[in-house]
Amino acid sequence: RPELLRELERAWTPRIAIMNLRMERAGEAAQLELMVANLSEVFAFVARLNEAPGSLRATVMRHGIKPGDTNLATMATVQVQMK
């Protein structure tokens, strides 16, 4: 398993729904489509990834409310790369 995938598993919590995970550059980068009840969960996830002992760089690329969702679920895209 790529190191990047192991770090994603370590930082993930059950409060984050991973809707799509696309590994890129032979496991050196990934793009995640996430859904959460609270946007702070996304920023906490990114902070945990950036604190990883390895050399990762995670960035929130975009976020917003899912259109028409009465529960106001937040969708976000996170890009993760090995440095």
Side-chain angles (χ1 to χ4, degrees):
R1 239 178 8 192
E3 179 185 347
L4 179 60
L5 187 54
R6 288 192 305 270
E7 291 300 328
L8 291 173
E9 290 173 344
R10 183 195 58 76
W12 178 83
T13 69
R15 298 182 55 85
I16 301 171
I18 299 176
M19 307 304 288
N20 189 24
L21 168 63
R22 186 173 71 217
M23 297 296 287
E24 302 169 342
R25 295 187 358 230
E28 296 292 316
Q31 183 169 322
L32 297 92
E33 298 289 331
L34 308 174
M35 188 177 296
V36 294
N38 188 324
L39 182 58
S40 64
E41 293 288 338
V42 172
F43 289 111
F45 176 65
V46 168
R48 287 190 299 274
L49 287 169
N50 286 326
E51 292 170 352
S55 52
L56 293 180
R57 183 179 64 206
T59 307
V60 177
M61 302 302 289
R62 67 176 181 84
H63 61 80
I65 303 296
K66 184 177 177 184
D69 185 357
T70 57
N71 296 319
L72 301 176
T74 300
M75 299 184 73
T77 302
V78 173
Q79 180 73 36
V80 184
Q81 298 179 13
M82 300 294 290
K83 290 182 183 175

